[in-house]
Amino acid sequence: MRKTDKTEKVRDTLSNMKVLQQSQVEDMQQKLAWAGFRNKEIAVYLLGMRMVLPIITGIIGFVLLYVIEIKPDWEMKRVMAMAALVFGGYKGPEMYLSNIAKKRTDLIRKGLPDALDLLVICAEAGLTVDASFARVAKELGKAYPELGDEFALTSIELSFLNERKKAFDNLAYRVNLDSVKGVVTTMVQTEKYGTPLASALRVLSAEFRNERMMRAEEKAARLPAIMTIPLIMFILPVLFIVILGPAACSIADAFSGM
């Protein structure tokens, strides 16, 4: 049985149980694309796991907490632990995908301004859009492998797809980043109206660098407020002990002598 046959079998089983909808499959496929997984068939298996894992974790929790009683002193905590296990089994795969997608999006965001600068250089050198994306993917593949993979795949799709707009739309579909969507819109308009590519990309690159600098300044501005609680809880008590400790010892010695 081929992999597609297994996928269809799982899909039919879930559909017969009235727990699978096409909108759920499309939503899971979108999250898989954001996380960097190319195989869309995994979405059906993940939706099946979302139904099976809560039952498995619930059974394991019931055996450990109520049959074996690894924590006999727990009363209401058992119910809370059971609820946490069932919730973790239901939302665990989705939370794992969201975490991977967030890290991947952050890495792509960091390398996007450099990629646009290289695209400007390639466009001014006379390379086509396909060759420019391939060149940028080759140059940035080691520093930003996630962005290099996306640009390499876009270059391949630009070469063999009949509609070049579809290749750019696929890039925006795979990356959950507004900056990439802006680049895609610029590329589509350039292909459609024949506007200069280098000047448009140069403006976008400057905007993305300013955005990255503003984000760094925002984090730096939040730092004093974030450091207030650790300062009060850990640093000030130690400082008071160091400063007032000798004086307290001297006063204690004086009273003991009297």
Side-chain angles (χ1 to χ4, degrees), residues 183-250:
V183 174
V184 168
T185 302
T186 302
M187 300 299 293
V188 171
Q189 291 177 351
T190 301
E191 293 276 339
K192 184 176 181 180
Y193 300 108
T195 56
L197 177 61
S199 58
L201 291 179
R202 188 179 292 107
V203 172
L204 282 177
S205 177
E207 291 180 358
F208 295 158
R209 289 187 184 279
N210 292 333
E211 180 184 353
R212 186 167 62 180
M213 182 62 66
M214 291 174 61
R215 192 179 297 110
E217 292 176 353
E218 181 182 356
K219 290 182 179 180
R222 291 203 311 262
L223 190 60
I226 296 174
M227 289 297 295
T228 301
I229 296 178
L231 180 65
I232 296 174
M233 294 180 62
F234 301 108
I235 300 178
L236 288 181
V238 177
L239 186 61
F240 288 149
I241 292 173
V242 172
I243 295 175
L244 301 179
C249 293
S250 300

Side-chain angles (χ1 to χ4, degrees), residues 17-168:
M17 296 174 65
K18 306 299 182 182
V19 295
L20 182 66
Q21 299 177 358
Q22 185 61 29
S23 60
Q24 294 177 329
V25 176
E26 294 176 354
D27 183 61
M28 187 61 70
Q29 288 175 350
Q30 177 72 85
K31 293 178 180 179
L32 285 170
W34 289 344
F37 296 97
R38 311 296 187 197
N39 191 356
K40 294 184 177 181
E41 295 180 351
I42 305 178
V44 179
Y45 293 101
L46 287 178
L47 291 173
M49 288 175 59
R50 193 168 65 178
M51 184 186 69
V52 175
L53 280 180
I55 300 175
I56 296 176
T57 55
I59 293 174
I60 294 175
F62 180 81
V63 172
L64 292 177
L65 296 174
Y66 290 95
V67 179
I68 302 177
E69 292 187 352
I70 58 174
K71 294 291 184 180
D73 56 333
W74 283 7
E75 295 180 0
M76 289 301 297
K77 291 181 180 180
R78 293 183 182 181
V79 180
M80 297 174 62
M82 282 289 298
L85 286 173
V86 174
F87 179 78
Y90 180 77
K91 298 294 290 186
E94 192 170 351
M95 294 171 64
Y96 176 72
L97 276 180
S98 300
N99 187 28
I100 295 178
K102 183 178 182 302
K103 293 180 179 178
R104 185 170 179 270
T105 302
D106 292 339
L107 293 174
I108 292 176
R109 182 188 290 111
K110 290 180 181 178
L112 189 59
D114 297 334
L116 291 182
D117 289 339
L118 287 177
L119 280 177
V120 170
I121 295 173
C122 293
E124 291 179 344
L127 294 178
T128 62
V129 177
D130 314 21
S132 299
F133 271 86
R135 185 67 179 179
V136 172
K138 182 180 178 181
E139 295 294 334
L140 293 181
K142 294 182 180 180
Y144 306 102
E146 293 80 9
L147 185 60
D149 291 341
E150 293 297 337
F151 272 43
L153 183 57
T154 303
S155 175
I156 295 172
E157 290 181 343
L158 285 171
S159 301
F160 72 85
L161 286 180
N162 293 329
E163 296 183 5
R164 296 171 64 86
K165 182 178 181 297
K166 181 64 176 176
F168 295 122

